Amino acid sequence: MLKHLRPHVLVLIALLTVGVSGWHEVLRNGLSDLRLTWDKRQASGEIAIVAIDAHSIEQIGVWPWPRGLHAELLQQLTRAGAEQVAFDVDFSAPSDPPSDQAFGEALQQAGGSVLLPAFRQPAAAGAPGAVHVNRPLPQFEANAWPVLVNVTVCPDGRVRQYAFGEQLAGGLVPSMAAALTGRSFASDASFLIDFGIDPASVPTISYVDVMNGDPAKLAQLKGKKVIVGGTALELGDRFSVPNGKIVSGPLLQALAAESMLQGRTLQMTSNAVTLAGVVIILMMMIMSWRRLGAFWRVLLLVATSALVEAAALWLHARYAVVLDSSLLQLAILAYLATIALDEIDFRGLLRRVAENRFQRIAMSLSDGLVCTDANGLITLWNPGAAAIFGYQADQIIGQPFRTLCVDPDDAEALFAIRDAAWVAKLAPGGSVIEFDGRRNDGEVFRVEASVSAWQGADGLQYGAILRDVSLRNREAERIRYLAEHDALTGLFNRNTLQARLTALLSAEDALSRDMALLVIGLDGFQQINDMLGQSYGDLVLKAVADRLTAEFGCQGLVARLSGDEFAVAVPYVAVGDTVTELAEHVARLFDVPLQAGPRQHHVKVSIGVAVHPEGGRTADELLSNGHLAFCRAKAIRRGRHVIFEETIRSELEARLTLEAELALAIERNEFELFYQPQVNLLDGRAIGAEALIRWRHPVRGLVPPAAFIPVVNTSALSETVASWVLQSACRQARTWELAGTPVRIGVNLSPSQLHSGDLAAQVGSLLQDTGLSPALLELEVTEDILLHDEARALDIFKRIEALGVSIVFDDFGTGYASLSYLKKFRLDGLKIDRSFVFDLLTDADDAAIVGSTVSLSRQLGLMVIAEGIENQATADLLLRLGCEHGQGYFFGKPMPAADFERQFLMAKVAGGEEQRGAA
């Protein structure tokens, strides 16, 4: 008996759950809203709206309007013969007195036919839930009727229900629609608005048209009940109503009034009617469940559903009654679901779904998957298995599993179905074994099988995931090789070299004590890549690797560290050489050109050597120290070798310490500029000065320039220091210019200033900021600045010269291409290097070079300054050779700005005053 009642009990439980949770209200609202779209009606025309629309706001002005306008509107409506006027506008607060007086007089003239809104709103302060009642001002309420304009919003955000009126501040106040239609009501009575009435059929006239006295528009209002209110979007008085529509507040009041006028105050049926309908459906299904088949029960339920909705539509259209059919329809849907569940074979369906899913997964596996029945006959063969063994599915399905095995005993071991303990072992998690397999072409290979067993619909079944272990082993070997070797050259990589070297050094024998590590790098390899391409560069690297392997592959370790750097670890006593002889031997290996593809290529190498144990006791120390020696060889002896000594590391550590101190010196403003005079050799008068940086260390005092300038020029501090020198020199030159003693200041440029940023823009900005005359700034450049990117340097110098700043070639004669630069670059002068001036009196060659340089400069229109003048005789000889300007200790050492000013500028001022006095 309980089994037969189970479907009905389930339906009843479902209905109780839905009823208690309130979920059926969504369906109830949806069904009732749908009926409104089926039962369309037109408005009676007795209710009209005077709309405060966007057109009226645009014509009259910004809202809210003065009440004087509403007074004029009311007078116009009264003259037009409107039967009754209802304002959906707030009159609860006073406006300006003249407007309030005008509106009060208009109400008095209307003779009590005007309705004004009253409404509830949350109180500004007080207990939670407290409300405040807004009523018209007493002077207005004396000649008008207050009406309720509040509406109730359903939980879904839509307005469906409308009250006839309610108790408000101790009195019974009708709603606006009830007052317009003259309906009597009880204080708690309400109804559902008939939104089947077409909103577009309600007569609507613009506020501004009434104010303008349009006769045709006013004629439409004669004998009508008029609602005045805002319909413009910007006023915000809008409500969401059934079927996705949005209406304004005045239109909502009009539709409520139309519902009353047309007798369409819709009422919802009671819960008793709904409960009775549900009981009828339950009884009907209980009686028919065993008598009718599933098809006829479904047909009966569908017919019942249609009948319920037809009756609901008839009651709605004829008697304005809204039948709550939501629970009835949910009962019908629940029964339809129960019938479906009762008729469907879910176990079979789930089994078929699982089998289909298993088939899709099996066919997508890259591994081989084979399934067999209890007798070991193959029932499933996926593409992965076909790829491994070479059999197609139509060739192997139905064949015994032993077909795949070289030894039939392997198949017996896999599928020993008579061994209950083995089956019990397989069933929970399976087992992994290996066996020798045979491909379709007869090839024998090693196979790994992950075997499992399960109880299927057709009895005990087996499955095995098969993998070609030989392939996996080859892949593992390849991965291991790539992890230990360089992919391009096949040599050991750094990690492998370090591990092998560690093992060699741990051995207690003579070879480990005489181990030498050579770090070898190609000179100019970047140029090979730039000129010939990276592919050719790779060929060169392979050729280097082949040559090193051929020489040392049997005696030591050969590795590629990175880029164009290689390493050879070899017991040098084993090759019968000293360390120096070994390094020179390696260098000579590359005297013979390398065969790189179709061409031969000459390369030179730099070599850094670290010897165990003096150059490092561990592999890490040997690699680190060998690389330090290599960097030294690169820096000072390209194409040669350097053996690591502790002094190399000491020098590096000293450089790092010095760099750190220089960084602090910048922060602490420890740098200052000294100025060395440049004089006219004819009269010894100072014509300029060269700005030279000095470092006043807080402990060591004045640090010689040679001790820190090479570090500055090759570090990240270079640009910062160079910019400081340029700025400080310009500020000092401007100070002397303002004091009436202008001096041309020469400033040495750093390569970093030219290769990063825009030097011309920086100079221009500095001149503008300081106000320095461009003619008082002279920039000195050396050949190393011009070596890289000549086109960029030429462009920058042209822009600097356009500013009026001079450019002088410093250290002329010491470079490789000094004369060519005189042709390429527009220079203002050059400085003859001190190396040609120092022995000028005793060395005829130096005198010839200086004389030629001065002569050439005059022909090119260049100013010449000779550096390093130590005595009067040298100055006289230079003057005879045609050089008019000089610089050196004979005239003055570099000195602080104050000393330079006192020694040269004050004398200049005094000399000028004496000349003026003599005149």
Side-chain angles (χ1 to χ4, degrees):
M1 183 65 179
L2 291 176
K3 182 178 179 180
H4 297 306
L5 291 177
R6 183 171 57 187
H8 313 291
V9 172
L10 292 175
V11 170
L12 190 58
I13 292 174
L15 291 177
L16 289 173
T17 302
V18 172
V20 171
S21 64
W23 294 344
H24 68 290
E25 293 179 0
V26 178
L27 180 60
R28 179 187 66 192
N29 293 335
L31 291 172
S32 60
D33 293 350
L34 188 60
R35 292 170 200 143
L36 294 174
T37 63
W38 291 341
D39 186 23
K40 288 288 187 182
R41 299 173 184 272
Q42 296 295 311
S44 66
E46 295 183 25
I47 308 293
I49 295 176
V50 174
I52 302 173
D53 53 11
H55 175 62
S56 299
I57 294 175
E58 181 181 358
Q59 293 294 319
I60 296 174
V62 179
W63 181 267
W65 297 331
R67 287 185 182 146
L69 286 177
H70 297 320
E72 293 179 25
L73 178 78
L74 181 56
Q75 292 169 356
Q76 286 278 40
L77 294 175
T78 303
R79 288 193 293 269
E83 179 181 341
Q84 200 170 14
V85 179
F87 279 91
D88 192 5
V89 180
D90 185 11
F91 290 98
S92 62
S95 179
D96 59 287
S99 294
D100 287 348
Q101 183 179 354
F103 187 69
E105 292 173 355
L107 290 175
Q108 188 174 9
Q109 294 171 8
S113 62
V114 180
L115 308 178
L116 298 181
F119 52 92
R120 291 174 284 100
Q121 67 178 14
V131 297
H132 174 71
V133 177
N134 285 344
R135 298 178 68 96
L137 294 173
Q139 64 265 36
F140 299 156
E141 194 170 353
N143 297 295
W145 298 95
V147 292
L148 183 70
V149 294
N150 285 106
V151 293
T152 303
V153 180
C154 295
D156 63 355
R158 295 178 178 175
V159 176
R160 293 184 174 85
Q161 201 165 10
Y162 190 88
F164 286 102
E166 64 177 82
Q167 292 286 339
L168 204 64
L172 192 61
V173 179
S175 64
M176 180 175 285
L180 284 173
T181 58
R183 293 290 298 269
S184 59
F185 62 94
S187 61
D188 59 348
S190 63
F191 64 93
L192 299 174
I193 301 174
D194 187 359
F195 288 104
I197 300 172
D198 186 6
S201 64
V202 177
T204 304
I205 301 172
S206 180
Y207 191 105
V208 72
D209 290 338
V210 176
M211 293 294 294
N212 292 335
D214 188 334
K217 301 292 185 181
L218 293 175
Q220 298 179 26
L221 301 176
K222 186 176 182 180
K224 301 289 178 59
K225 302 176 186 295
V226 178
I227 301 176
V228 181
T231 63
L233 284 174
E234 53 264 41
L235 298 182
D237 187 18
R238 307 186 73 78
F239 298 94
S240 178
V241 298
N243 297 320
K245 296 179 180 178
I246 297 177
V247 300
S248 63
L251 184 55
L252 182 66
Q253 300 291 344
L255 292 175
E258 285 288 346
S259 298
M260 294 182 185
L261 288 173
Q262 298 185 35
R264 299 297 298 168
T265 54
L266 304 177
Q267 298 294 330
M268 186 72 71
T269 56
S270 66
N271 293 334
V273 173
T274 303
L275 183 60
V278 171
V279 171
I280 291 172
I281 292 174
L282 287 172
M283 295 304 297
M284 179 181 66
M285 294 309 298
I286 290 172
M287 295 173 60
S288 63
W289 197 267
R290 298 182 63 184
R291 294 182 177 86
L292 301 177
F295 172 78
W296 292 107
R297 277 179 279 156
V298 170
L299 190 62
L300 178 61
L301 288 169
V302 172
T304 302
S305 175
L307 181 63
V308 168
E309 288 309 310
L313 184 60
W314 179 74
L315 289 172
H316 180 275
R318 184 63 180 263
Y319 297 106
V321 173
V322 178
L323 176 61
D324 182 6
S325 61
S326 58
L327 286 177
L328 307 182
Q329 296 294 355
L330 287 172
I332 292 171
L333 288 174
Y335 267 117
L336 289 173
T338 303
I339 293 172
L341 293 173
D342 193 52
E343 293 299 318
I344 295 174
D345 180 11
F346 275 96
R347 289 186 178 178
L349 179 62
L350 291 175
R351 184 171 60 252
R352 288 191 294 274
V353 169
E355 290 176 355
N356 290 335
R357 182 182 300 169
F358 175 74
Q359 288 280 350
R360 288 195 299 271
I361 294 174
M363 293 304 161
S364 65
L365 286 176
S366 59
D367 291 329
L369 178 61
V370 179
C371 294
T372 72
D373 59 14
N375 297 318
L377 300 179
I378 297 173
T379 58
L380 185 142
W381 183 263
N382 79 335
I388 294 174
F389 286 92
Y391 293 102
Q392 297 303 314
D394 56 354
Q395 295 177 279
I396 201 66
I397 289 181
Q399 299 296 320
F401 187 85
R402 61 175 176 270
T403 305
L404 308 176
C405 304
V406 174
D407 186 355
D409 292 337
D410 290 334
E412 294 297 328
L414 279 170
F415 306 108
I417 59 173
R418 294 181 178 84
D419 189 345
W422 178 245
V423 173
K425 179 181 179 183
L426 283 175
S431 180
V432 179
I433 63 173
E434 290 187 7
F435 65 93
D436 290 327
R438 189 191 304 275
R439 305 189 202 273
N440 190 17
D441 59 4
E443 179 187 353
V444 177
F445 64 103
R446 197 66 179 167
V447 181
E448 179 187 84
S450 300
V451 187
S452 58
W454 65 92
Q455 190 67 35
D458 300 325
L460 188 63
Q461 298 183 20
Y462 293 91
I465 297 176
L466 307 177
R467 297 183 183 88
D468 185 343
V469 180
S470 60
L471 177 62
R472 183 180 67 188
N473 291 341
R474 287 196 298 271
E475 290 177 350
E477 185 62 30
R478 175 61 179 168
I479 292 172
R480 185 163 50 252
Y481 177 83
L482 292 176
E484 295 178 351
H485 294 77
D486 174 56
L488 176 64
T489 62
L491 300 177
F492 290 139
N493 59 24
R494 177 185 289 272
N495 292 336
T496 306
L497 173 65
Q498 190 168 4
R500 298 288 180 93
L501 193 54
T502 299
L504 285 175
L505 295 178
S506 64
E508 293 295 336
D509 54 29
L511 291 180
S512 67
R513 290 193 297 273
D514 297 323
M515 182 66 65
L517 176 71
L518 292 82
V519 178
I520 306 163
L522 307 186
D523 294 336
F525 180 72
Q526 185 59 45
Q527 296 178 357
I528 297 176
N529 275 340
D530 294 341
M531 293 186 298
L532 302 177
Q534 190 169 353
S535 297
Y536 184 79
D538 289 346
L539 294 176
V540 172
L541 293 177
K542 290 179 181 179
V544 172
D546 292 342
R547 185 158 296 181
L548 292 175
T549 302
E551 187 68 22
F552 299 106
C554 298
Q555 299 167 322
L557 304 173
V558 182
R560 182 187 177 197
L561 299 180
S562 64
D564 62 342
E565 294 182 16
F566 297 83
V568 173
V570 60
Y572 60 90
V573 296
V575 295
D577 293 330
T578 64
V579 175
T580 299
E581 290 171 340
L582 176 62
E584 292 175 349
H585 173 68
V586 172
R588 286 194 299 273
L589 288 177
F590 296 94
D591 291 341
V592 180
L594 295 171
Q595 188 67 41
R599 67 168 70 184
Q600 291 185 335
H601 196 89
H602 288 270
V603 297
K604 290 293 183 180
V605 296
S606 296
I607 304 170
V609 185
V611 181
H612 178 270
E614 294 84 1
R617 294 186 175 276
T618 66
D620 285 341
E621 292 178 355
L622 278 178
L623 282 169
S624 175
N625 295 337
H627 197 269
L628 285 178
F630 166 75
C631 292
R632 174 63 62 88
K634 274 278 190 182
I636 63 174
R637 305 182 68 181
R638 295 174 67 89
R640 299 294 296 276
H641 73 272
V642 171
I643 299 174
F644 175 79
E645 297 174 350
E646 281 300 327
T647 56
I648 296 178
R649 182 170 295 278
S650 300
E651 290 174 4
L652 176 61
E653 291 175 353
R655 177 187 172 90
L656 294 176
T657 301
L658 184 57
E659 284 187 5
E661 289 185 339
L662 287 170
L664 288 175
I666 295 173
E667 296 179 5
R668 299 171 179 172
N669 297 319
E670 294 175 1
F671 290 120
E672 58 183 270
L673 287 186
F674 278 28
Y675 297 89
Q676 185 174 27
Q678 297 172 343
V679 302
N680 188 323
L681 298 180
L682 288 171
D683 54 14
R685 178 174 49 87
I687 60 171
E690 181 178 0
L692 301 168
I693 188 172
R694 294 296 184 264
W695 179 17
R696 197 172 295 278
H697 194 278
V699 177
R700 292 179 297 191
L702 201 62
V703 181
F708 70 91
I709 288 179
V711 175
V712 170
N713 289 337
T714 57
S715 70
L717 304 172
S718 175
E719 185 175 358
T720 302
V721 174
S723 298
W724 177 87
V725 170
L726 182 59
Q727 293 172 10
S728 300
C730 288
R731 291 193 183 98
Q732 183 60 62
R734 178 56 176 167
T735 300
W736 286 332
E737 182 182 11
L738 292 175
T741 55
V743 178
R744 185 188 66 219
I745 300 297
V747 180
N748 293 287
L749 290 182
S750 167
S752 61
Q753 289 176 284
L754 201 69
H755 301 148
S756 62
D758 190 340
L759 178 61
Q762 181 184 356
V763 172
S765 176
L766 190 56
L767 291 174
Q768 183 176 2
D769 292 344
T770 61
L772 178 66
S773 299
L776 297 179
L777 179 61
E778 184 176 87
L779 300 180
E780 300 183 7
V781 300
T782 53
E783 184 178 6
D784 59 338
I785 293 180
L786 308 177
L787 285 175
H788 303 288
D789 201 351
E790 290 184 0
R792 172 179 168 83
L794 182 61
D795 174 67
I796 291 176
F797 289 161
K798 285 181 178 179
R799 291 164 56 200
I800 290 176
E801 288 181 342
L803 296 173
V805 176
S806 301
I807 298 178
V808 174
F809 198 167
D810 195 13
D811 298 337
F812 182 78
T814 60
Y816 295 103
S818 296
L819 290 176
S820 67
Y821 287 132
L822 295 181
K823 177 181 178 181
K824 293 177 184 178
F825 293 92
R826 293 175 54 188
L827 302 171
D828 297 288
L830 55 86
K831 301 180 74 173
I832 300 175
D833 188 70
R834 68 182 67 251
S835 61
F836 299 104
V837 176
F838 188 76
D839 295 324
L840 187 63
L841 296 173
T842 59
D843 192 323
D845 292 338
D846 285 348
I849 292 173
V850 171
S852 299
T853 301
V854 172
S855 176
L856 176 65
S857 300
R858 284 185 172 180
Q859 295 179 27
L860 296 176
L862 302 178
M863 176 192 70
V864 181
I865 298 178
E867 296 181 303
I869 301 176
E870 301 289 337
N871 49 62
Q872 184 64 51
T874 303
D876 294 339
L877 179 56
L878 284 169
L879 193 58
R880 289 196 299 272
L881 292 173
C883 178
E884 298 179 352
H885 302 136
Q887 176 181 344
Y889 279 11
F890 177 68
F891 304 108
K893 295 182 179 181
M895 62 191 71
D899 294 344
F900 181 87
E901 182 177 339
R902 183 169 53 255
Q903 184 174 345
F904 292 96
L905 301 187
M906 292 301 183
K908 181 178 180 182
V909 172
E913 291 177 351
E914 289 178 1
Q915 291 178 3
R916 285 195 297 272

